[in-house]
Amino acid sequence: MASGASVAAVGRDVARAGGPHVLAVVVDPAGRPVGYVDPTAAAAVPPDVAETTPVGAVAVPLPAQATVDAALAGQDMLAALAVAGREASVVPVVEDGRVVGALEVARVVAALRDARRR
């Protein structure tokens, strides 16, 4: 999601992408991730101003190094996520410099814990 987009536009894009479990990553003009939309903050924007409220007003900033390469897998992915997760609770996944997803660190940790219990 471009940093100049409105909260309403982000809401429409999230709905098209699958709804409430989708995180919108905010990117700068070069396509680098700079934040992610806080769903609670976005939902709190009154509908009558959502078209004119910039997404940056409801975005959580991300450190530049808080990304994970989509080509990584297994232990390499977990190691990269552990490093990036020290700085951010949400980590964008990038492929060839383009954001292709986002991981919530707490959900990944919970899934790993659940998998170990089985």
Side-chain angles (χ1 to χ4, degrees), residues 4-99:
S6 71
V7 169
V10 171
R12 289 188 294 271
D13 286 350
V14 165
R16 276 193 296 273
H21 300 291
V22 174
L23 280 173
V25 176
V26 180
V27 297
D28 67 12
R32 291 181 298 261
V34 294
Y36 66 94
V37 175
D38 177 334
T40 303
V45 174
D48 60 323
V49 296
E51 287 292 347
T52 57
T53 301
V55 73
V58 296
V60 177
L62 286 170
Q65 68 277 13
T67 62
V68 174
D69 191 310
L72 297 175
Q75 290 299 322
D76 292 335
M77 171 63 89
L78 292 176
L81 185 58
V83 170
R86 289 185 198 135
E87 301 291 324
S89 61
V90 171
V91 178
V93 179
V94 296
E95 182 175 43
D96 299 324
R98 187 172 136 313
V99 175

